[in-house]
Amino acid sequence: NQSWQEVCSMILHLLFLLTITTTPINSFSINSSSTMLTPRTSADISLEIKDPVDPTALTQSKAILSELRPNSSTNNDDSLSSSSCNPKALLSIAKRLGDIPAQDDSASYLVSKEQCQEAFDNLSSEEKQTLLNIHQRVKVFAEAQRKSVVDMSIEIPGGRAGHTVSPCRAAGCYAPGGRYPLPSSVLMTVVTARAAGCPYVVLASPRPAPITLAAAHVAGADIVLCVGGAQAIGCMAYGIEACDELGAAEVPACDVIVGPGNKWVTAAKSLVNGYCGIDMLAGPSEVLVIADHTADVEIVAADLIAQAEHDVVARAILVSTDVDVIAKVNAEVERQVDCLPEPNRSTAKEALTQSFSIVCKDMDECIAMSDKLAPEHLEIQTENSQEVADRCANYGGLFIGTHAAEVLGDYGAGPNHTLPTGGTGRYTGGLSVFNFLRIRTWMRIDNKKESQDMVEDSVRMARLEGLEGHARAAEARSLTLTPAYKKANNGSN
């Protein structure tokens, strides 16, 4: 039972701590003071599932959205107001928050297509080819997804019913631009929107590096906004008015906004959700590696560090049945992280302070721990890795076997790298063409006589639910029943 599992897990952890403090250093190359991954037990895991929306960031983001639209009713908490963002207000916010140089009077929040083209042209031939290669792989996978769902129809009593699949009109894509430029996020979001068939794509990224602009050119973004945070989400949700004084064209409101971002991006997405669609509320990035005695500890360590260098709040998690493997991975993480350049080393070390390991009594418990956490990235580095992977139920993206590095998913193996975090993989998946598609149903009655059983069922069910108006609307289609509203009229005469 659960309590017995927790006792076993605690005993294994005590044995682990005893081992690493009594074994000679040259055996494991680790001691208790240098343990990089904090030992945890299964009982601790429920504490790891957190709300992705930061309360302070939510308050700040709400104020920014109100400032963007000074003439709207957002100041009265009506988030569904149709007012567009004011260009001068946006420029003021962008300068204040560092998106645009404060002293540059000629600065714009828009990046032209010519600037994106120039950024691409200035790349080396190898860099150009890398962007084109990743673009192609993401495009092929996304187009295959799009082809997997098609219009359909079936016969119903007296007619036909079906659904149509069509893209939304305008897509908004966010690519982070904080510690590192992320052109891969540009490709993952914009290319997927294009593969879905969206005719208009807006990209927002704060302080975009030349490689980010080059990726925007390759991906085919129609408009590039060089703003980030809540202000970027507000602009894509509500659109931006044209401004002749600033020489800025109108930016249309987007129907769907996708892409990862910081806590202000997440908070703002939670605020505009409903006015437009969003992909998900993303929290800190995370990887969970299930490893057994066959795992290559150098590769496991490298993968944990790759995740940790994302952000100081990222998490790297190791779940194993083998105490020795955890000890060796800890030693390898310490060795490898010290070899990183700055700022990567400091970022990874800070993230590792909230990363952890779990010793499990068997592979069943490893899988149970993983399913409970529903990690953004799940790596299986075990014997019979496909069999273990097939038993895992909750995750954002699954990477099976030693050679299926999570970083290959980051950089365009095909599947999208924008994935659910913070346990949300329990009920949703990663970004795909489906985020940009509308599956809308329709029905048609061609033969009134053949539809009569359906009409009578509708009349009866409506009255069972107490919805008399529904019943009478169905009776109006009946060949045998007199609608109750006609009886009422006859009675009054």
Side-chain angles (χ1 to χ4, degrees), residues 110-289:
L110 292 170
V111 181
S112 69
K113 287 188 175 183
E114 291 73 22
Q115 288 173 286
C116 295
Q117 170 81 62
E118 182 181 2
F120 178 77
D121 292 341
N122 288 336
L123 297 178
S124 68
S125 58
E126 292 83 3
E127 290 167 338
K128 289 178 183 176
Q129 194 58 54
T130 292
L131 283 180
L132 293 171
N133 288 344
I134 295 173
H135 171 272
Q136 180 63 17
R137 289 193 290 266
V138 175
K139 179 172 178 283
V140 167
F141 190 87
E143 288 179 342
Q145 284 185 320
R146 176 63 186 88
K147 291 175 183 175
S148 72
V149 57
V150 297
D151 294 356
M152 70 85 180
S153 68
I154 63 168
E155 289 187 359
I156 62 172
R160 296 193 69 81
H163 75 221
T164 60
V165 184
S166 61
C168 63
R169 179 188 58 86
C173 301
Y174 188 88
R179 283 178 175 79
Y180 315 104
L182 292 178
S184 57
S185 289
V186 175
L187 295 171
M188 290 287 177
T189 55
V190 176
V191 173
T192 305
R194 286 293 190 212
C198 297
Y200 201 86
V201 181
V202 178
L203 170 70
S205 187
R207 302 174 299 283
I211 188 65
T212 302
L213 298 180
H217 166 72
V218 171
D222 294 296
I223 286 182
V224 178
L225 300 171
C226 56
V227 296
Q231 58 272 27
I233 301 303
C235 289
M236 290 191 288
Y238 303 117
I240 310 172
E241 300 167 359
C243 183
D244 293 337
E245 183 179 341
L246 298 176
E250 178 186 7
V251 176
C254 296
D255 302 308
V256 177
I257 298 175
V258 304
N262 61 22
K263 59 185 178 181
W264 292 279
V265 169
T266 299
K269 285 170 76 174
S270 76
L271 290 169
V272 302
N273 185 28
Y275 181 80
C276 63
I278 64 170
D279 53 347
M280 64 190 76
L281 296 175
S285 193
E286 60 205 12
V287 67
L288 187 151
V289 180

Side-chain angles (χ1 to χ4, degrees), residues 286-298:
E286 60 205 12
V287 67
L288 187 151
V289 180
I290 296 178
D292 65 7
H293 66 284
T294 67
D296 185 321
V297 295
E298 288 188 10

Side-chain angles (χ1 to χ4, degrees), residues 44-67:
D44 301 326
I45 297 309
S46 61
L47 303 178
E48 299 303 321
I49 300 174
K50 302 174 182 177
D51 187 344
V53 180
D54 179 83
T56 302
L58 185 67
T59 299
Q60 294 167 338
S61 297
K62 194 169 187 179
I64 289 171
L65 294 183
S66 294
E67 187 178 351

Side-chain angles (χ1 to χ4, degrees), residues 382-400:
T382 66
E383 191 174 29
N384 303 320
S385 56
Q386 186 62 61
E387 293 179 15
V388 174
D390 290 343
R391 293 165 57 197
C392 294
N394 301 332
Y395 51 81
L398 181 60
F399 304 85
I400 305 167

Side-chain angles (χ1 to χ4, degrees), residues 65-82:
L65 294 183
S66 294
E67 187 178 351
L68 280 172
R69 303 190 298 157
N71 298 322
S72 75
S73 56
T74 51
N75 294 312
N76 296 320
D77 293 333
D78 179 9
S79 62
L80 300 185
S81 168
S82 61

Side-chain angles (χ1 to χ4, degrees), residues 16 20 24-37 297-302 304-305 318 323-339 349 352 357:
F16 165 62
I20 63 174
I25 298 299
N26 59 5
S27 296
F28 285 155
S29 298
I30 190 170
N31 57 43
S32 59
S33 63
S34 62
T35 299
M36 304 298 288
L37 303 172
V297 295
E298 288 188 10
I299 288 179
V300 173
L304 294 172
I305 291 169
L318 175 60
V323 174
D324 188 41
V325 166
I326 290 181
K328 290 179 179 178
V329 168
N330 265 300
E332 193 60 33
V333 167
E334 183 178 25
R335 184 184 71 81
Q336 290 187 31
V337 78
D338 282 333
C339 297
K349 282 191 169 183
L352 286 167
S357 63

Side-chain angles (χ1 to χ4, degrees), residues 339-370:
C339 297
L340 284 176
E342 289 292 1
N344 310 62
R345 180 169 64 250
S346 296
T347 302
K349 282 191 169 183
E350 180 65 25
L352 286 167
T353 63
Q354 58 209 5
S355 299
F356 58 91
S357 63
I358 306 173
V359 182
C360 296
K361 69 180 190 306
D362 54 29
M363 193 53 61
D364 286 344
E365 188 179 13
C366 287
I367 293 169
M369 289 300 97
S370 176

